[in-house]
């Protein structure tokens, strides 16, 4: 896949954009557009997803807590327990206006998804 | 800084390239060119660095275990305990020929840096 590094266990930050995201039924929901990485620990905190072309909900970006993603080796992509209904009220922003991921915004995301 | 997201605690994977790397004396050694992220855990395993313009050791990329990097809030960059001597024999590759980060290559990197 052009969007995944050829490596086995790791993905290059340069290649993250475009990694596929599926629902539990194996249907492609969209793609990862960006990752938000903790500067100190190096742990990915949020996957920023785009679902527009698939769920018909526009081109906004949706930050989702990393712990909601499960990597599926067979599909070489991520599975997330999300559907159109859940995303209707989810935190989002336009791709060209990334908000400040401060404590308040992080709290907003985490609360929405029940963390 | 243009290479750092405006967010406080996280950095966007899209903005990683160009993040500054310093030595313990506060001298700029180079920049982060890429991050290699564990697909499953979301933990950054390696920072891929370029030192060419600063240490005069060419434009090769040097993968360094993430745990060697300390984030310095004052400089908004990373400090690594590396010098030209240590890098002379370090694992490296041309920027346009990223190797397969399999177990053998990971082991080569980790052993070189004493992990």
């Amino acid at each position: 896949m052009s969007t995944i590094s050829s490596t086995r266990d790791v993905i290059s930050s340069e290649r993250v954009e475009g990694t596929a995201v599926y629902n539990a039924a194996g249907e492609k929901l969209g793609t990862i557009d960006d990752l938000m990485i903790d500067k100190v620990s190096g742990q990915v905190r949020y996957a920023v997803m785009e679902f527009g072309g698939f769920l018909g909900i526009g081109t906004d970006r949706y930050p989702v807590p990393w712990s909601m993603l499960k990597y599926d080796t067979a599909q070489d992509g991520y599975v997330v327990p999300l559907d159109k209904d859940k995303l209707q009220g989810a935190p989002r922003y336009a791709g060209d206006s990334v908000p400040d991921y401060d404590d308040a915004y992080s709290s907003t995301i985490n609360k929405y998804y029940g963390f």
Side-chain angles (χ1 to χ4, degrees), chain A residues 3-14:
Chain A
T3 54
I4 300 270
S5 161
S6 63
T7 64
R8 291 183 202 168
D9 302 324
V10 296
I11 184 169
S12 159
S13 61
E14 293 181 353

Side-chain angles (χ1 to χ4, degrees), chain A residues 69-84:
Chain A
L69 281 71
K70 300 300 175 197
Y71 183 69
D72 181 56
T73 53
Q75 296 181 106
D76 202 14
Y78 292 92
V79 176
V80 292
L82 292 173
D83 57 25
K84 192 171 179 174

Side-chain angles (χ1 to χ4, degrees), chain A residues 38-104:
Chain A
D38 186 296
K39 286 179 183 177
V40 174
S41 70
Q43 174 65 45
V44 175
R45 296 293 176 211
Y46 302 102
V48 184
M49 301 186 186
E50 187 181 2
F51 302 103
F54 305 93
L55 296 178
I57 53 176
T59 60
D60 281 349
R61 305 298 193 274
Y62 292 74
V64 174
W66 176 261
S67 54
M68 291 182 67
L69 281 71
K70 300 300 175 197
Y71 183 69
D72 181 56
T73 53
Q75 296 181 106
D76 202 14
Y78 292 92
V79 176
V80 292
L82 292 173
D83 57 25
K84 192 171 179 174
D85 285 348
K86 182 65 179 174
L87 291 169
Q88 294 285 6
R92 74 190 73 177
Y93 50 85
D96 60 355
S97 56
V98 180
D100 196 23
Y101 275 69
D102 56 13
D103 288 348

